[in-house]
Amino acid sequence: AAGVIQSPRHLIKEKRETATLKCYPIPRHDTVYWYQQGPGQDPQFLISFYEKMQSDKGSIPDRFSAQQFSDYHSELNMSSLELGDSALYFCASSLGGEGRPYEQYFGPGTRLTVT
Amino acid sequence: AQSVTQPDIHITVSEGASLELRCNYSYGATPYLFWYVQSPGQGLQLLLKYFSGDTLVQGIKGFEAEFKRSQSSFNLRKPSVHWSDAAEYFCAVARGGSNYKLTFGKGTLLTVNP
């Protein structure tokens, strides 16, 4: 079965640079969530989108922005990167609306290292 | 705000032994409850979920979990652990209503001895 695809899988950036992470949800899934997992930490919710509209916002820094496109893929844009942004970034997707929005399926993650 | 507590940071069991991982949540109503498993460097795989109904839920890989409202708990169990079960296990809750975001516990690292 098709899963959530994230690219790139690994990314190395320097401080103050910009990074863009991409997420392709499971086909027919219309809801995308972004989570950040620091080293040895639990995943923390950043932001979510349903039908291309932001549906919820968590502890996402102002330096970060995200959007969901017409084909339901999502991009997380991160600017002025800091060392503390080094983490594993997960995207998850679900079928919202009358579907099963609580069943979130996670991608393999993008490991971002800021040097 | 809702919170999830996994009291055990690290558990070691022998292969073939039974397993129980503890999870307690703090929330006024009954939230939606989940267990995820994460192998090193991998993503999170959904093991099982509880929304309502039967309080004993079955999941993949032979796992089950029991929701106990009186104890605000959702403990994960497996009767016989396999070496491939070694991983980190996260309990998570979603508040419900239109609030779908997951709040995770700190995780329990499971080591399986041969």
Side-chain angles (χ1 to χ4, degrees):
Chain A
V4 176
I5 297 172
Q6 291 188 246
S7 69
R9 292 292 309 277
H10 300 273
L11 191 57
I12 299 174
K13 291 286 186 178
E14 295 186 355
K15 283 192 302 184
R16 293 180 288 277
E17 285 192 320
T18 298
T20 297
L21 280 54
K22 297 184 179 182
C23 169
Y24 298 86
I26 291 171
R28 296 192 300 112
H29 280 194
D30 51 16
T31 306
V32 168
Y33 309 80
W34 286 96
Y35 293 84
Q36 177 192 56
Q37 185 179 29
Q41 301 296 313
D42 54 296
Q44 295 289 317
F45 171 74
L46 292 177
I47 196 167
S48 63
F49 293 87
Y50 168 60
E51 283 291 346
K52 293 153 280 184
M53 298 288 289
Q54 181 181 309
S55 54
D56 200 356
K57 193 172 181 179
S59 50
I60 183 169
D62 292 340
R63 300 177 288 108
F64 294 7
S65 65
Q67 57 181 323
Q68 185 180 32
F69 294 86
S70 57
D71 63 350
Y72 296 110
H73 94 273
S74 177
E75 295 183 3
L76 177 65
N77 298 293
M78 311 160 69
S79 64
S80 302
L81 287 169
E82 302 174 356
L83 294 177
D85 296 328
S86 296
L88 195 53
Y89 290 84
F90 287 111
C91 171
S93 74
S94 70
L95 189 59
E98 297 301 314
R100 312 188 77 165
Y102 300 101
E103 287 190 31
Q104 296 180 29
Y105 294 88
F106 283 74
T110 294
R111 183 169 296 281
L112 172 66
T113 302
V114 181
T115 62
Chain B
Q2 65 206 52
S3 66
V4 181
T5 302
Q6 293 181 246
D8 305 304
I9 296 174
H10 188 191
I11 283 183
T12 299
V13 300
S14 298
E15 190 168 16
S18 63
L19 172 70
E20 182 169 30
L21 301 182
R22 296 182 291 165
C23 173
N24 294 96
Y25 65 90
S26 172
Y27 182 58
T30 299
Y32 295 84
L33 298 159
F34 308 83
W35 275 99
Y36 283 85
V37 61
Q38 183 179 30
S39 297
Q42 301 298 312
L44 294 154
Q45 182 180 23
L46 179 62
L47 283 177
L48 46 75
K49 58 192 179 290
Y50 174 78
F51 294 165
S52 64
D54 193 347
T55 57
L56 185 63
V57 294
Q58 302 296 321
I60 63 172
K61 303 184 178 186
F63 285 93
E64 67 178 25
E66 185 172 14
F67 169 63
K68 293 186 177 179
R69 184 190 306 274
S70 61
Q71 299 176 19
S72 297
S73 69
F74 188 57
N75 294 348
L76 181 71
R77 301 194 294 246
K78 187 170 185 178
S80 178
V81 170
H82 188 262
W83 64 266
S84 60
D85 293 324
E88 182 120 34
Y89 291 79
F90 290 95
C91 180
V93 303
R95 188 171 182 170
S98 60
N99 191 327
Y100 308 136
K101 66 184 177 189
L102 295 176
T103 298
F104 287 86
K106 295 299 182 185
T108 297
L109 180 64
L110 174 66
T111 298
V112 180
N113 287 334

